[in-house]
Amino acid sequence: MFNFLPMPATIVDIRQLTDKERLFTIRLDNDRGIRHRPCQFILISLLGIGEAPISISSPPVDSGRTFELCIRAVGNLTNAMHRLSVNDRIGIRGPFGNGFPVERIEGKDILIVAGGLGLAPLRSLIKYVLQERGRYGRVILLIGTKRPGDILFKEEVLKWEEDPAIETHITVDVAEPSWQRHVGVITGLFKHVGIDPFKTIAAIVGPPVMYRFVIKELLAKGIFEGNIYLDLERRMRCGIGKCGHCQINGIYLCQNGPVLSYLEARKLQEAL
Amino acid sequence: MDVTIQSNDVDRFIRGLLLYYDVIAPVARDGRFVFERIDDPSMASLKYDTTLLPPIKWIYPNNEILLEFDLKDITKTEVVAQSRKQVLTFVHPCDINAINLMDEVLAEEPSDVNYLTRRQSTLIIGYECLGPCRENILCFDKGYHIAYRGFDLFFTDIGGRYYVHVATDAGRAMVEGDGIFKKAAYDDWKDLMRARAERKKGFNKKAVEGDIGMLSHFLKEAYNADEIWEAEGRKCLSCGACIIVCPTCYCFDAVDEVCPDMEKGVRYRRWDGCQLRGFCKVAGGENFRKSAAERVRHRVFKKEVYLKKRFGRSGCVGCGRCIDSCIAKISIIDIFNRVMERARRNV
């Protein structure tokens, strides 16, 4: 039987990523660590305030007992989270959801499409794939944000740009004069990358409006519907497939998602 | 082994129950009925139509505390899952069938500890419907006017006395001992059969025209039938009355409340539901079910398509509470009929 007891944890590090986002490093009191798969999420519990679902940004095998959460201050709980400091105590429930099928896609080329805050969950996949680099073919990363200042994990992204292990392309909606990279919507980046549609697995996370356009582009390139994976965000509340907030037609995203292939998602009218 | 009880002995039976259990019974209130905890047998009404709220709310109560916490020390957080021993008495088959379905839904892993704890300390005494209890019900269409399981005892009025089907050991324990109940004899059983034959005559009018077994299929075909959903959406005030009174609605929100001393607090479960505007709204501002039309459609689909697909039977037990409670006069019977009508037209 399941109860709602959060696991006690401590904030061990906080880094300001942009104006609105901070990266929190969390350590659980227990010695097990969080033991997640890329693109799973947890529920942060602040006693007296409530709970909110947050994707795990760090890869599964990183630094043992800690994991990282990239949090934008946008709601009650996330704003409260931004008021906390190192050594403050929080509660964690999870991890929840299915996560990304990293075993199934071994040997394939991976095309990762990250719009805005979508890079937060995808970073766990990117770092996992880079750690297990030998198991995968090409790794292509497309990043789109509003402005250059909004790019998450900037130092890492700059490092990825230099890294031959990963082909990184970045675009912004609104550029500044000093901006040397692409300008425009994320689908504009597709003309710069040649892909083998029979070998490529796509992973997409971004704002709701982005999915349809990116999927259209990928289908046009000939990628099979079952090889396009979407990590969908909803208002996950309980994590046990009961409370109803994350329901998309007949499925509960907190249990059967958040990662769905387009083959599954296109049958759900409410998904996209 | 089944037993009988004289009608005027029921009070004595309830008085006996009151010694051991919280007794929840239908009680008359302002021309309608409610399931309430009683402390005197005279409060209970055996003859009642549909109650305002379904009895399952005693197993899945609003504002149920899930956690107790200490704001200064998170390790002192404690799970609260407890229940008093209670008997839900004279529950109609529709509501028993609803509880049966919720038993499956909430026991599906990961199961809900608070529901299961209360369920395990709840006994249920059913009460047979020998005819429709009011207008605007569709239990008969669904076959939910009969309950085959999900009770410890089951009362049927056979004229001056009740035939009591003893279904479980806990039920047997309730009828043994004090000599109120008599072993059911052949004549009692014949009267039961006669009453059930009358039931067949009582339930004779279907609310939904056509083959209800096809409803789920026809609904799926009508997913984009704007003439139904947009029309109902325009009427809907998104007040959420229908989901609060529904015996198979279980959506909830978890809310924290802090004691004014700023030291202790609780996290509790509050009923929530898909008809309310903000139900699918996320912190970023996006609302994944923006229009009332989409929300009305989701309610109907949840009952008739999604629950049916997952648990093998419809989530609408036909009690009609959502119809009675809707101030905008949205009727699920009417919606079903229009879906069936649309299917007939499109053949």
Side-chain angles (χ1 to χ4, degrees), chain A residues 1-2 4-5 45-51 89-91 233-235 237 242-245 247 249-250 252 255 269-270, chain B residues 67 69 71 74-75 105 108 110-111 113 116 223 250-254 256 258 267 272 278-279 281 288-289 298 302 306:
Chain A
M1 281 194 282
F2 182 90
F4 293 87
L5 190 68
S45 208
L46 296 183
L47 300 180
I49 291 164
E51 290 188 312
R89 304 277 281 157
I90 62 172
E233 308 289 315
R234 288 294 185 273
R235 187 178 165 207
R237 209 78 184 83
K242 302 278 189 277
C243 81
H245 292 91
Q247 190 167 15
N249 297 106
Y252 286 101
Q255 290 283 309
Q269 297 94 332
E270 291 183 328
Chain B
L67 298 176
F69 55 76
L71 283 174
I74 191 169
T75 60
V105 170
E108 189 189 40
S111 62
V113 65
L116 293 180
Y223 190 87
Y250 54 95
C251 290
F252 67 91
D253 201 2
D256 286 14
V258 177
R267 179 163 296 164
D272 199 354
F279 187 67
K281 195 172 173 190
F288 290 98
R289 224 172 272 123
H298 182 74
K302 171 107 185 202
Y306 309 146

Short mmCIF file of all heavy atoms in Angstrom, two decimals, chain A residues 1-2 4-5 45-51 89-91 233-235 237 242-245 247 249-250 252 255 269-270, chain B residues 67 69 71 74-75 105 108 110-111 113 116 223 250-254 256 258 267 272 278-279 281 288-289 298 302 306:
data_model
loop_
_atom_site.label_atom_id
_atom_site.label_comp_id
_atom_site.label_asym_id
_atom_site.label_seq_id
_atom_site.Cartn_x
_atom_site.Cartn_y
_atom_site.Cartn_z
N MET A 1 0.83 -1.20 0.00
CA MET A 1 0.00 0.00 0.00
C MET A 1 0.86 1.25 0.00
O MET A 1 1.97 1.24 0.46
CB MET A 1 -0.92 0.01 1.21
CG MET A 1 -2.13 -0.88 1.06
SD MET A 1 -3.37 -0.57 2.29
CE MET A 1 -2.69 -1.40 3.70
N PHE A 2 0.29 2.29 -0.57
CA PHE A 2 1.06 3.50 -0.79
C PHE A 2 0.58 4.60 0.14
O PHE A 2 -0.61 4.79 0.33
CB PHE A 2 0.87 3.93 -2.24
CG PHE A 2 1.66 5.14 -2.60
CD1 PHE A 2 2.94 5.00 -3.10
CD2 PHE A 2 1.13 6.40 -2.42
CE1 PHE A 2 3.68 6.12 -3.42
CE2 PHE A 2 1.86 7.52 -2.74
CZ PHE A 2 3.14 7.38 -3.25
N PHE A 4 1.52 8.87 1.57
CA PHE A 4 2.01 10.13 1.03
C PHE A 4 3.21 10.68 1.80
O PHE A 4 3.48 11.86 1.78
CB PHE A 4 0.87 11.15 1.01
CG PHE A 4 -0.20 10.78 0.02
CD1 PHE A 4 -1.25 9.94 0.38
CD2 PHE A 4 -0.14 11.22 -1.29
CE1 PHE A 4 -2.22 9.57 -0.53
CE2 PHE A 4 -1.11 10.87 -2.21
CZ PHE A 4 -2.16 10.04 -1.83
N LEU A 5 3.90 9.80 2.50
CA LEU A 5 5.01 10.24 3.33
C LEU A 5 6.22 10.64 2.47
O LEU A 5 6.72 9.83 1.70
CB LEU A 5 5.42 9.10 4.27
CG LEU A 5 6.42 9.45 5.37
CD1 LEU A 5 5.79 10.39 6.39
CD2 LEU A 5 6.92 8.19 6.06
N SER A 45 8.20 18.24 -1.61
CA SER A 45 7.25 18.48 -0.55
C SER A 45 7.82 19.55 0.37
O SER A 45 8.87 19.34 0.96
CB SER A 45 7.08 17.16 0.20
OG SER A 45 5.84 17.07 0.77
N LEU A 46 7.14 20.70 0.45
CA LEU A 46 7.53 21.68 1.46
C LEU A 46 6.39 21.73 2.47
O LEU A 46 5.26 22.09 2.13
CB LEU A 46 7.75 23.06 0.83
CG LEU A 46 8.89 23.17 -0.18
CD1 LEU A 46 9.03 24.61 -0.67
CD2 LEU A 46 10.21 22.70 0.42
N LEU A 47 6.67 21.32 3.69
CA LEU A 47 5.61 21.20 4.69
C LEU A 47 4.98 22.57 4.93
O LEU A 47 5.67 23.56 5.15
CB LEU A 47 6.18 20.61 5.97
CG LEU A 47 6.80 19.22 5.81
CD1 LEU A 47 7.34 18.73 7.14
CD2 LEU A 47 5.79 18.23 5.24
N GLY A 48 3.66 22.60 4.90
CA GLY A 48 2.95 23.85 5.10
C GLY A 48 2.66 24.56 3.80
O GLY A 48 1.86 25.48 3.75
N ILE A 49 3.32 24.16 2.73
CA ILE A 49 3.10 24.79 1.43
C ILE A 49 2.48 23.80 0.44
O ILE A 49 1.48 24.10 -0.20
CB ILE A 49 4.40 25.39 0.89
CG1 ILE A 49 4.78 26.59 1.77
CG2 ILE A 49 4.22 25.85 -0.56
CD1 ILE A 49 6.16 27.07 1.63
N GLY A 50 3.05 22.63 0.35
CA GLY A 50 2.45 21.63 -0.53
C GLY A 50 3.49 20.88 -1.34
O GLY A 50 4.64 20.77 -0.92
N GLU A 51 3.03 20.38 -2.47
CA GLU A 51 3.91 19.58 -3.31
C GLU A 51 3.86 20.09 -4.74
O GLU A 51 2.88 20.69 -5.16
CB GLU A 51 3.44 18.11 -3.32
CG GLU A 51 3.66 17.40 -2.02
CD GLU A 51 3.38 15.91 -2.11
OE1 GLU A 51 2.32 15.53 -2.65
OE2 GLU A 51 4.22 15.13 -1.65
N ARG A 89 15.90 21.93 4.80
CA ARG A 89 15.34 20.58 4.66
C ARG A 89 14.08 20.60 3.80
O ARG A 89 13.23 21.47 3.93
CB ARG A 89 14.99 20.05 6.05
CG ARG A 89 16.15 20.05 7.02
CD ARG A 89 17.02 18.85 6.86
NE ARG A 89 16.43 17.69 7.52
CZ ARG A 89 16.71 16.44 7.18
NH1 ARG A 89 17.54 16.19 6.19
NH2 ARG A 89 16.15 15.44 7.84
N ILE A 90 13.97 19.59 2.94
CA ILE A 90 12.77 19.44 2.11
C ILE A 90 12.35 17.97 2.11
O ILE A 90 13.08 17.12 2.61
CB ILE A 90 13.01 19.91 0.65
CG1 ILE A 90 14.08 19.05 -0.02
CG2 ILE A 90 13.40 21.38 0.61
CD1 ILE A 90 14.22 19.31 -1.50
N GLY A 91 11.17 17.70 1.54
CA GLY A 91 10.72 16.32 1.41
C GLY A 91 10.67 15.93 -0.07
O GLY A 91 10.44 16.78 -0.93
N GLU A 233 4.26 17.17 -19.98
CA GLU A 233 4.13 17.73 -18.64
C GLU A 233 2.65 17.98 -18.36
O GLU A 233 1.94 18.52 -19.19
CB GLU A 233 4.90 19.04 -18.54
CG GLU A 233 6.36 18.94 -18.99
CD GLU A 233 7.22 18.16 -18.02
OE1 GLU A 233 7.10 18.39 -16.81
OE2 GLU A 233 8.01 17.31 -18.47
N ARG A 234 2.24 17.57 -17.17
CA ARG A 234 0.89 17.91 -16.72
C ARG A 234 0.99 18.23 -15.23
O ARG A 234 2.08 18.22 -14.67
CB ARG A 234 -0.09 16.73 -16.93
CG ARG A 234 -0.47 16.45 -18.38
CD ARG A 234 -1.27 17.57 -18.99
NE ARG A 234 -1.74 17.24 -20.33
CZ ARG A 234 -1.06 17.43 -21.46
NH1 ARG A 234 0.17 17.93 -21.39
NH2 ARG A 234 -1.57 17.13 -22.63
N ARG A 235 -0.18 18.43 -14.61
CA ARG A 235 -0.15 18.78 -13.21
C ARG A 235 -0.15 17.50 -12.38
O ARG A 235 -1.16 17.10 -11.82
CB ARG A 235 -1.36 19.65 -12.89
CG ARG A 235 -1.36 20.21 -11.50
CD ARG A 235 -2.56 21.09 -11.30
NE ARG A 235 -2.77 21.34 -9.89
CZ ARG A 235 -3.93 21.61 -9.35
NH1 ARG A 235 -5.01 21.65 -10.12
NH2 ARG A 235 -4.04 21.82 -8.07
N ARG A 237 0.01 15.33 -9.34
CA ARG A 237 -0.32 15.77 -7.99
C ARG A 237 -0.03 14.66 -6.98
O ARG A 237 0.57 14.88 -5.94
CB ARG A 237 -1.81 16.16 -7.96
CG ARG A 237 -2.17 17.19 -6.98
CD ARG A 237 -1.78 18.56 -7.50
NE ARG A 237 -2.07 19.55 -6.48
CZ ARG A 237 -1.24 19.81 -5.47
NH1 ARG A 237 -0.11 19.16 -5.36
NH2 ARG A 237 -1.55 20.73 -4.57
N LYS A 242 -4.17 8.35 -9.25
CA LYS A 242 -5.48 8.37 -8.61
C LYS A 242 -6.13 9.76 -8.65
O LYS A 242 -7.33 9.85 -8.88
CB LYS A 242 -5.35 7.95 -7.13
CG LYS A 242 -4.74 6.57 -6.90
CD LYS A 242 -5.76 5.45 -7.07
CE LYS A 242 -5.20 4.12 -6.65
NZ LYS A 242 -4.39 3.49 -7.70
N CYS A 243 -5.35 10.79 -8.42
CA CYS A 243 -5.96 12.11 -8.15
C CYS A 243 -6.59 12.73 -9.39
O CYS A 243 -7.39 13.64 -9.28
CB CYS A 243 -4.96 13.07 -7.53
SG CYS A 243 -3.85 13.84 -8.72
N GLY A 244 -6.18 12.27 -10.59
CA GLY A 244 -6.87 12.69 -11.80
C GLY A 244 -6.29 13.91 -12.52
O GLY A 244 -6.66 14.16 -13.65
N HIS A 245 -5.41 14.66 -11.87
CA HIS A 245 -4.96 15.91 -12.49
C HIS A 245 -4.14 15.70 -13.77
O HIS A 245 -4.14 16.54 -14.65
CB HIS A 245 -4.14 16.73 -11.50
CG HIS A 245 -4.96 17.27 -10.37
ND1 HIS A 245 -5.13 16.57 -9.19
CD2 HIS A 245 -5.68 18.40 -10.25
CE1 HIS A 245 -5.91 17.29 -8.39
NE2 HIS A 245 -6.26 18.39 -9.00
N GLN A 247 -4.44 13.24 -15.91
CA GLN A 247 -5.06 12.31 -16.85
C GLN A 247 -5.15 12.91 -18.26
O GLN A 247 -5.57 14.04 -18.45
CB GLN A 247 -6.47 11.93 -16.37
CG GLN A 247 -7.05 10.78 -17.18
CD GLN A 247 -8.28 10.16 -16.53
OE1 GLN A 247 -8.88 10.73 -15.63
NE2 GLN A 247 -8.67 9.01 -17.02
N ASN A 249 -6.96 11.69 -21.61
CA ASN A 249 -7.91 10.66 -22.02
C ASN A 249 -7.87 9.51 -21.00
O ASN A 249 -8.02 9.75 -19.82
CB ASN A 249 -7.63 10.20 -23.45
CG ASN A 249 -7.82 11.32 -24.45
OD1 ASN A 249 -6.86 11.85 -24.96
ND2 ASN A 249 -9.06 11.69 -24.69
N GLY A 250 -7.58 8.30 -21.45
CA GLY A 250 -7.68 7.17 -20.53
C GLY A 250 -6.45 6.88 -19.69
O GLY A 250 -6.46 5.97 -18.87
N TYR A 252 -3.10 7.86 -17.02
CA TYR A 252 -2.55 8.77 -16.04
C TYR A 252 -1.07 8.97 -16.37
O TYR A 252 -0.29 8.01 -16.36
CB TYR A 252 -2.68 8.20 -14.63
CG TYR A 252 -4.07 8.25 -14.09
CD1 TYR A 252 -4.88 7.13 -14.08
CD2 TYR A 252 -4.58 9.43 -13.57
CE1 TYR A 252 -6.18 7.18 -13.59
CE2 TYR A 252 -5.87 9.50 -13.07
CZ TYR A 252 -6.66 8.37 -13.07
OH TYR A 252 -7.94 8.43 -12.58
N GLN A 255 1.81 7.69 -14.17
CA GLN A 255 2.08 6.26 -14.14
C GLN A 255 2.49 5.75 -15.52
O GLN A 255 3.48 5.05 -15.66
CB GLN A 255 0.82 5.50 -13.68
CG GLN A 255 0.50 5.70 -12.22
CD GLN A 255 1.40 4.88 -11.32
OE1 GLN A 255 1.56 3.68 -11.51
NE2 GLN A 255 2.01 5.52 -10.35
N GLN A 269 -6.32 12.05 -27.89
CA GLN A 269 -6.65 13.34 -28.47
C GLN A 269 -6.19 14.50 -27.60
O GLN A 269 -5.96 15.59 -28.08
CB GLN A 269 -8.17 13.45 -28.69
CG GLN A 269 -8.73 12.44 -29.68
CD GLN A 269 -9.24 11.19 -28.98
OE1 GLN A 269 -8.77 10.81 -27.92
NE2 GLN A 269 -10.20 10.52 -29.59
N GLU A 270 -6.09 14.26 -26.27
CA GLU A 270 -5.75 15.37 -25.39
C GLU A 270 -4.25 15.55 -25.20
O GLU A 270 -3.82 16.45 -24.50
CB GLU A 270 -6.39 15.15 -24.00
CG GLU A 270 -7.89 15.29 -24.02
CD GLU A 270 -8.50 15.14 -22.62
OE1 GLU A 270 -7.97 14.39 -21.79
OE2 GLU A 270 -9.52 15.78 -22.37
N LEU B 67 -1.31 13.28 6.32
CA LEU B 67 -0.04 13.40 7.05
C LEU B 67 -0.20 14.40 8.18
O LEU B 67 -0.96 15.36 8.07
CB LEU B 67 1.07 13.93 6.13
CG LEU B 67 1.50 13.16 4.90
CD1 LEU B 67 2.53 13.97 4.12
CD2 LEU B 67 2.09 11.81 5.30
N PHE B 69 2.50 16.82 10.35
CA PHE B 69 3.92 17.16 10.30
C PHE B 69 4.31 18.24 11.30
O PHE B 69 3.46 18.94 11.85
CB PHE B 69 4.33 17.55 8.87
CG PHE B 69 3.51 18.65 8.25
CD1 PHE B 69 3.70 19.97 8.62
CD2 PHE B 69 2.57 18.36 7.27
CE1 PHE B 69 2.97 20.99 8.03
CE2 PHE B 69 1.83 19.38 6.69
CZ PHE B 69 2.03 20.69 7.07
N LEU B 71 6.70 21.49 11.46
CA LEU B 71 7.36 22.40 10.52
C LEU B 71 8.87 22.49 10.74
O LEU B 71 9.62 22.84 9.85
CB LEU B 71 6.75 23.79 10.62
CG LEU B 71 5.40 23.98 9.93
CD1 LEU B 71 4.84 25.36 10.22
CD2 LEU B 71 5.50 23.75 8.43
N ILE B 74 11.35 17.67 9.51
CA ILE B 74 10.61 16.87 8.52
C ILE B 74 10.62 15.39 8.87
O ILE B 74 9.73 14.64 8.48
CB ILE B 74 11.15 17.11 7.10
CG1 ILE B 74 10.20 16.49 6.06
CG2 ILE B 74 12.56 16.60 6.92
CD1 ILE B 74 10.48 16.88 4.65
N THR B 75 11.60 14.94 9.66
CA THR B 75 11.65 13.51 9.99
C THR B 75 10.52 13.12 10.95
O THR B 75 10.25 11.95 11.15
CB THR B 75 13.00 13.11 10.64
OG1 THR B 75 13.15 13.87 11.83
CG2 THR B 75 14.16 13.39 9.71
N VAL B 105 -10.59 0.32 -8.18
CA VAL B 105 -9.81 1.47 -8.65
C VAL B 105 -8.75 1.86 -7.61
O VAL B 105 -7.59 2.05 -7.94
CB VAL B 105 -10.75 2.67 -8.92
CG1 VAL B 105 -9.96 3.94 -9.17
CG2 VAL B 105 -11.66 2.37 -10.10
N GLU B 108 -5.96 -0.74 -6.88
CA GLU B 108 -4.99 -1.00 -7.96
C GLU B 108 -3.66 -0.38 -7.55
O GLU B 108 -3.60 0.76 -7.11
CB GLU B 108 -5.51 -0.37 -9.26
CG GLU B 108 -4.70 -0.77 -10.47
CD GLU B 108 -5.08 0.02 -11.72
OE1 GLU B 108 -5.33 1.23 -11.62
OE2 GLU B 108 -5.10 -0.60 -12.79
N PRO B 110 -0.18 1.55 -7.54
CA PRO B 110 0.01 1.74 -6.11
C PRO B 110 -1.33 2.08 -5.43
O PRO B 110 -1.96 3.04 -5.79
CB PRO B 110 0.94 2.96 -6.05
CG PRO B 110 1.26 3.33 -7.46
CD PRO B 110 0.32 2.65 -8.36
N SER B 111 -1.68 1.27 -4.44
CA SER B 111 -3.01 1.40 -3.83
C SER B 111 -3.04 2.52 -2.79
O SER B 111 -2.02 2.97 -2.30
CB SER B 111 -3.40 0.08 -3.20
OG SER B 111 -2.48 -0.24 -2.19
N VAL B 113 -3.71 3.89 0.68
CA VAL B 113 -3.74 3.34 2.04
C VAL B 113 -4.92 3.88 2.85
O VAL B 113 -5.53 3.17 3.64
CB VAL B 113 -2.40 3.56 2.78
CG1 VAL B 113 -2.13 5.03 3.02
CG2 VAL B 113 -2.37 2.81 4.10
N LEU B 116 -8.18 2.13 1.70
CA LEU B 116 -8.22 0.72 2.08
C LEU B 116 -8.39 0.54 3.59
O LEU B 116 -9.09 -0.37 4.04
CB LEU B 116 -6.97 0.01 1.58
CG LEU B 116 -6.86 -0.10 0.05
CD1 LEU B 116 -5.59 -0.82 -0.37
CD2 LEU B 116 -8.08 -0.78 -0.54
N TYR B 223 -16.46 11.52 -30.27
CA TYR B 223 -15.48 12.36 -29.54
C TYR B 223 -15.46 13.79 -30.07
O TYR B 223 -15.37 14.74 -29.32
CB TYR B 223 -14.08 11.74 -29.62
CG TYR B 223 -13.09 12.41 -28.70
CD1 TYR B 223 -12.96 11.99 -27.38
CD2 TYR B 223 -12.30 13.47 -29.13
CE1 TYR B 223 -12.08 12.60 -26.52
CE2 TYR B 223 -11.41 14.09 -28.27
CZ TYR B 223 -11.30 13.64 -26.97
OH TYR B 223 -10.43 14.26 -26.12
N TYR B 250 -13.44 10.14 -7.74
CA TYR B 250 -12.48 10.01 -6.64
C TYR B 250 -11.29 10.94 -6.78
O TYR B 250 -10.30 10.81 -6.06
CB TYR B 250 -12.01 8.55 -6.55
CG TYR B 250 -11.46 8.01 -7.86
CD1 TYR B 250 -10.10 8.04 -8.13
CD2 TYR B 250 -12.33 7.52 -8.82
CE1 TYR B 250 -9.62 7.57 -9.35
CE2 TYR B 250 -11.85 7.06 -10.04
CZ TYR B 250 -10.50 7.08 -10.30
OH TYR B 250 -10.01 6.64 -11.49
N CYS B 251 -11.34 11.87 -7.73
CA CYS B 251 -10.21 12.80 -7.90
C CYS B 251 -10.06 13.66 -6.67
O CYS B 251 -11.04 13.98 -6.00
CB CYS B 251 -10.44 13.69 -9.12
SG CYS B 251 -10.29 12.77 -10.66
N PHE B 252 -8.82 14.01 -6.35
CA PHE B 252 -8.60 14.81 -5.15
C PHE B 252 -7.41 15.73 -5.32
O PHE B 252 -6.63 15.62 -6.25
CB PHE B 252 -8.38 13.90 -3.93
CG PHE B 252 -7.10 13.09 -4.00
CD1 PHE B 252 -5.92 13.58 -3.45
CD2 PHE B 252 -7.08 11.85 -4.59
CE1 PHE B 252 -4.74 12.85 -3.51
CE2 PHE B 252 -5.91 11.10 -4.66
CZ PHE B 252 -4.74 11.60 -4.12
N ASP B 253 -7.30 16.66 -4.39
CA ASP B 253 -6.14 17.53 -4.31
C ASP B 253 -5.57 17.34 -2.91
O ASP B 253 -6.30 16.99 -1.99
CB ASP B 253 -6.59 18.98 -4.51
CG ASP B 253 -5.45 19.86 -4.95
OD1 ASP B 253 -4.33 19.34 -5.14
OD2 ASP B 253 -5.67 21.06 -5.11
N ALA B 254 -4.28 17.54 -2.76
CA ALA B 254 -3.69 17.48 -1.42
C ALA B 254 -3.34 18.90 -1.00
O ALA B 254 -2.73 19.65 -1.76
CB ALA B 254 -2.46 16.60 -1.44
N ASP B 256 -2.10 21.62 2.26
CA ASP B 256 -1.47 21.75 3.58
C ASP B 256 -2.18 22.81 4.41
O ASP B 256 -2.62 23.83 3.88
CB ASP B 256 0.00 22.16 3.43
CG ASP B 256 0.86 21.00 2.95
OD1 ASP B 256 0.28 20.01 2.50
OD2 ASP B 256 2.09 21.11 3.03
N VAL B 258 -1.59 24.81 8.24
CA VAL B 258 -0.66 24.95 9.37
C VAL B 258 -1.39 25.51 10.57
O VAL B 258 -2.18 26.45 10.45
CB VAL B 258 0.53 25.87 8.99
CG1 VAL B 258 1.45 26.07 10.16
CG2 VAL B 258 1.29 25.27 7.81
N ARG B 267 -1.39 17.65 6.20
CA ARG B 267 -1.67 17.60 4.76
C ARG B 267 -2.93 16.77 4.63
O ARG B 267 -2.99 15.66 5.13
CB ARG B 267 -0.49 16.98 4.01
CG ARG B 267 -0.71 16.86 2.51
CD ARG B 267 0.59 16.64 1.76
NE ARG B 267 1.46 17.80 1.91
CZ ARG B 267 2.77 17.80 1.64
NH1 ARG B 267 3.36 16.69 1.24
NH2 ARG B 267 3.48 18.89 1.79
N ASP B 272 -11.66 16.97 -5.41
CA ASP B 272 -11.39 17.89 -6.51
C ASP B 272 -12.01 17.23 -7.73
O ASP B 272 -12.42 16.07 -7.66
CB ASP B 272 -9.87 18.04 -6.67
CG ASP B 272 -9.51 19.29 -7.45
OD1 ASP B 272 -10.41 19.97 -7.95
OD2 ASP B 272 -8.30 19.58 -7.56
N GLY B 278 -9.86 25.12 -12.98
CA GLY B 278 -8.42 25.08 -12.76
C GLY B 278 -7.83 23.68 -12.59
O GLY B 278 -6.65 23.55 -12.30
N PHE B 279 -8.66 22.67 -12.80
CA PHE B 279 -8.23 21.30 -12.47
C PHE B 279 -6.95 20.89 -13.20
O PHE B 279 -6.09 20.23 -12.64
CB PHE B 279 -9.36 20.32 -12.79
CG PHE B 279 -9.11 18.91 -12.35
CD1 PHE B 279 -9.05 18.60 -10.99
CD2 PHE B 279 -8.94 17.89 -13.25
CE1 PHE B 279 -8.83 17.30 -10.57
CE2 PHE B 279 -8.71 16.58 -12.84
CZ PHE B 279 -8.66 16.30 -11.50
N LYS B 281 -4.83 23.04 -14.74
CA LYS B 281 -3.97 24.20 -14.95
C LYS B 281 -2.65 23.99 -14.22
O LYS B 281 -2.62 23.56 -13.07
CB LYS B 281 -4.68 25.45 -14.41
CG LYS B 281 -4.05 26.73 -14.89
CD LYS B 281 -4.90 27.92 -14.49
CE LYS B 281 -4.16 29.19 -14.83
NZ LYS B 281 -4.80 30.36 -14.26
N PHE B 288 -4.74 22.57 -19.54
CA PHE B 288 -4.83 21.50 -20.51
C PHE B 288 -6.27 21.07 -20.81
O PHE B 288 -6.49 20.20 -21.65
CB PHE B 288 -3.99 20.31 -20.07
CG PHE B 288 -2.51 20.61 -20.16
CD1 PHE B 288 -1.79 20.99 -19.03
CD2 PHE B 288 -1.85 20.53 -21.37
CE1 PHE B 288 -0.43 21.27 -19.12
CE2 PHE B 288 -0.50 20.82 -21.47
CZ PHE B 288 0.21 21.18 -20.34
N ARG B 289 -7.23 21.58 -20.09
CA ARG B 289 -8.64 21.34 -20.47
C ARG B 289 -9.38 22.66 -20.27
O ARG B 289 -10.07 22.87 -19.28
CB ARG B 289 -9.24 20.20 -19.65
CG ARG B 289 -10.07 19.23 -20.49
CD ARG B 289 -10.52 18.00 -19.74
NE ARG B 289 -9.54 16.94 -19.78
CZ ARG B 289 -9.00 16.35 -18.72
NH1 ARG B 289 -9.34 16.72 -17.51
NH2 ARG B 289 -8.11 15.39 -18.87
N HIS B 298 -14.93 15.08 -20.92
CA HIS B 298 -14.02 14.25 -20.14
C HIS B 298 -14.78 13.50 -19.04
O HIS B 298 -14.52 12.33 -18.79
CB HIS B 298 -12.91 15.09 -19.51
CG HIS B 298 -11.93 14.27 -18.74
ND1 HIS B 298 -10.99 13.47 -19.36
CD2 HIS B 298 -11.76 14.07 -17.41
CE1 HIS B 298 -10.29 12.82 -18.44
NE2 HIS B 298 -10.74 13.17 -17.26
N LYS B 302 -14.75 9.62 -18.93
CA LYS B 302 -14.13 8.96 -17.78
C LYS B 302 -15.03 7.85 -17.27
O LYS B 302 -14.59 6.74 -16.99
CB LYS B 302 -13.87 9.99 -16.67
CG LYS B 302 -13.44 9.38 -15.37
CD LYS B 302 -11.98 9.63 -15.12
CE LYS B 302 -11.52 8.91 -13.87
NZ LYS B 302 -10.33 9.46 -13.30
N TYR B 306 -13.19 5.38 -20.23
CA TYR B 306 -11.88 5.10 -19.62
C TYR B 306 -11.98 4.07 -18.49
O TYR B 306 -11.21 3.13 -18.43
CB TYR B 306 -11.22 6.39 -19.11
CG TYR B 306 -11.17 7.50 -20.14
CD1 TYR B 306 -11.28 8.83 -19.77
CD2 TYR B 306 -11.00 7.21 -21.50
CE1 TYR B 306 -11.23 9.85 -20.71
CE2 TYR B 306 -10.97 8.22 -22.44
CZ TYR B 306 -11.08 9.55 -22.04
OH TYR B 306 -11.05 10.54 -22.97
#
